[in-house]
């Protein structure tokens, strides 16, 4: 029996009850246990520093009090990885700052290009009614709340077809250019070095003719109601089945570069293929600690990620101990 098989690792998870229900499923607990990982719930009513011991902590909580608890715990347990630090997570709670890093990335491959859609931030109604601010805006646009904290309000979006439709918005909002993308969105799940890309239904393309006769504003909740779950009744399912995934090497390199730039291990990003340029991809959203349970074989992927983290940290500690012993003998 190898050391990895013999030794067990305790991974604490600090998650909101709703997240626990969707993510900490029996299939994950059992698979992780079989691989030597025991997932232990962090008691949210008790100080973190009084709990453990842990070999690693994963979390999706926020706030100054929680930050202080993480700081206190790290000060006393500097060798326990905390996935992930709050500061880079907070960047993803703002729809402007979350995408700023994308245009700073440099990839080795040249076959595909990437970027983000044109977008502007509208602070208030005065700005919304200022023609000089919106003069370069090309319709249609997607209006998104500035705050992306996972709440119901942060998911309330609208498709705006013309200037008249802007009157129905409630600033502050981010206005993001709508780009035709074949009605398919690619969701890329990242867990450290493990990357999974899946296809999902998205908004249908909008032709110039349709743009001229469309209503002014359409909320995303209305759009989701128009998309049926019955494959026989919904032609968009055919778009999903026929759509080709982006090249694996491109997505993996993009995911790796994003993770390093964001300083995060657990996130996903939404990508669309620009119908105007077949090999150009646009990142339209980034989320921290997404719904991994929706991902194929998430139990295996996430357990592999946890093993990477705890074993890598143990290896680093053993290397440091050997170095100290060598220096002690030399002196």
């Amino acid at each position: 029996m190898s050391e990895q098989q013999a030794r067990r690792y305790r991974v604490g998870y600090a998650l909101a009850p709703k997240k626990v229900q969707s993510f900490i499923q029996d299939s994950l607990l059992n698979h992780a246990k079989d691989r030597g990982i025991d997932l232990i719930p962090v008691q949210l009513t008790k100080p973190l520093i009084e709990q453990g011991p842990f070999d690693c902590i994963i979390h999706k909580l926020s706030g100054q009090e929680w930050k202080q608890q993480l700081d206190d715990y790290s000060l006393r347990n500097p060798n326990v990885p905390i996935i992930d630090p709050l500061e880079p997570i907070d960047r993803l709670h703002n729809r402007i700052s979350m995408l700023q890093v994308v245009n700073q990335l440099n990839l080795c491959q040249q076959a595909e290009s990437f970027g983000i859609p044109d977008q502007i931030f509208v602070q208030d109604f005065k700005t919304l009614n200022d023609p000089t601010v919106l003069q370069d805006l090309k319709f249609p646009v997607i209006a998104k709340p500035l705050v992306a904290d996972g709440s119901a309000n942060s998911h309330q979006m609208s498709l705006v077809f013309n200037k008249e439709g802007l009157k129905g918005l409630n600033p502050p909002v981010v206005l993001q250019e709508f780009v035709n993308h074949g009605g398919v969105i690619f969701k890329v799940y990242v867990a450290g070095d493990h990357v999974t890309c899946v296809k999902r239904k998205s908004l249908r393309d909008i032709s110039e003719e349709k743009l001229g006769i469309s209503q002014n504003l359409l909320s995303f909740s209305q759009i989701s109601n128009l998309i049926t779950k019955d494959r026989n009744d919904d032609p968009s399912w055919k778009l999903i089945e026929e759509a080709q995934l982006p090249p694996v090497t491109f997505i993996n390199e993009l995911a790796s570069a994003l993770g390093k730039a964001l300083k995060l291990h657990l996130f996903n990003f939404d990508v669309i293929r620009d119908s105007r340029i077949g090999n150009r991809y646009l990142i339209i959203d980034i989320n921290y600690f997404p719904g991994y349970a929706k991902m194929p074989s998430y139990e295996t992927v996430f357990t592999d990620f946890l093993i990477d983290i705890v074993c890598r940290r143990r290896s680093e500690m053993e290397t440091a101990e050997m170095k100290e012993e060598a220096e002690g003998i030399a002196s």
Side-chain angles (χ1 to χ4, degrees):
M1 182 178 292
S2 68
E3 181 179 356
Q4 178 179 322
Q5 292 173 317
R7 193 185 192 283
R8 302 201 64 81
Y9 296 93
R10 293 169 53 88
V11 174
Y13 61 88
L15 306 170
K18 187 176 179 180
K19 188 69 174 178
V20 171
Q21 184 178 8
S22 64
F23 177 69
I24 305 295
Q25 299 183 12
D26 288 343
S27 57
L28 174 63
L29 292 172
N30 293 333
H31 186 81
K33 185 176 181 179
D34 289 343
R35 301 282 304 281
I37 300 287
D38 295 319
L39 288 165
I40 312 296
V42 170
Q43 303 301 318
L44 303 184
T45 57
K46 183 179 178 181
L48 179 61
I49 203 168
E50 297 177 6
Q51 302 181 61
F54 299 118
D55 295 290
C56 172
I57 293 174
I58 60 174
H59 74 98
K60 191 178 184 180
L61 299 176
S62 59
Q64 188 58 41
E65 182 180 347
W66 177 242
K67 181 180 184 303
Q68 187 61 54
Q69 289 207 51
L70 291 178
D71 290 344
D72 292 344
Y73 188 89
S74 292
L75 190 63
R76 185 171 294 185
N77 303 276
N79 292 321
V80 177
I82 293 178
I83 310 296
D84 279 300
L86 278 179
E87 187 172 340
I89 294 175
D90 287 342
R91 169 188 269 181
L92 300 188
H93 292 161
N94 179 299
R95 284 199 165 90
I96 293 296
S97 63
M98 75 161 58
L99 296 181
Q100 286 176 336
V101 69
V102 175
N103 290 328
Q104 302 169 11
L105 303 178
N106 291 309
L107 303 190
C108 296
Q109 63 80 40
Q110 301 295 328
E112 289 77 29
S113 63
F114 66 93
I116 64 174
D118 292 335
Q119 61 181 23
I120 60 172
F121 170 57
V122 177
Q123 175 66 43
D124 47 35
F125 285 104
K126 181 179 179 181
T127 306
L128 195 61
N129 295 318
D130 187 341
T132 61
V133 175
L134 305 179
Q135 62 183 353
D136 295 328
L137 197 64
K138 184 179 179 181
F139 292 95
V141 296
I142 297 177
K144 303 180 177 183
L146 176 65
V147 177
D149 58 2
S151 65
N153 288 338
S154 69
H155 293 296
Q156 294 297 317
M157 306 182 191
S158 299
L159 188 57
V160 185
F161 293 95
N162 49 47
K163 290 185 178 180
E164 190 67 22
L166 295 174
K167 297 178 181 179
L169 300 180
N170 186 25
V173 295
V174 175
L175 300 180
Q176 189 179 85
E177 174 194 10
F178 176 82
V179 177
N180 283 337
H181 53 282
V184 179
I185 191 169
F186 305 104
K187 301 189 80 70
V188 183
Y189 294 90
V190 182
D193 297 330
H194 305 272
V195 181
T196 303
C197 181
V198 299
K199 299 182 286 186
R200 294 286 185 267
K201 289 193 295 184
S202 183
L203 302 177
R204 299 291 295 272
D205 288 352
I206 301 173
S207 63
E208 291 291 337
E209 294 78 11
K210 185 178 179 181
L211 186 59
I213 62 174
S214 297
Q215 61 192 92
N216 300 327
L217 183 75
L218 190 60
S219 76
F220 267 49
S221 59
Q222 289 173 288
I223 292 173
S224 63
N225 290 337
L226 294 175
I227 300 176
T228 68
K229 295 182 179 180
D230 191 334
R231 292 176 181 264
N232 295 322
D233 294 338
D234 191 348
S236 60
W237 283 106
K238 187 175 182 180
L239 296 175
I240 296 288
E241 293 168 354
E242 295 179 349
Q244 289 187 340
L245 288 168
V248 173
T249 52
F250 166 67
I251 287 296
N252 286 347
E253 188 178 354
L254 184 57
S256 177
L258 260 180
K260 291 176 182 176
L262 294 171
K263 299 179 181 179
L264 294 174
H265 294 82
L266 300 176
F267 64 97
N268 82 332
F269 56 101
D270 293 343
V271 182
I272 59 175
R273 181 187 287 119
D274 191 337
S275 295
R276 300 166 297 187
I277 311 171
N279 65 340
R280 180 164 177 77
Y281 296 87
L282 301 174
I283 296 176
I284 60 173
D285 204 12
I286 308 174
N287 302 287
Y288 183 68
F289 209 139
Y292 285 105
K294 300 175 184 178
M295 181 180 73
S297 303
Y298 96 100
E299 301 91 345
T300 300
V301 172
F302 207 84
T303 300
D304 286 345
F305 161 72
L306 293 177
I307 289 174
D308 288 347
I309 293 295
V310 294
C311 289
R312 185 181 302 146
R313 189 57 179 158
R314 181 168 179 80
S315 177
E316 291 172 352
M317 292 171 59
E318 290 175 348
T319 300
E321 290 173 359
M322 291 174 62
K323 183 178 179 181
E324 289 180 0
E325 290 179 0
E327 290 175 348
I329 294 174
S331 61

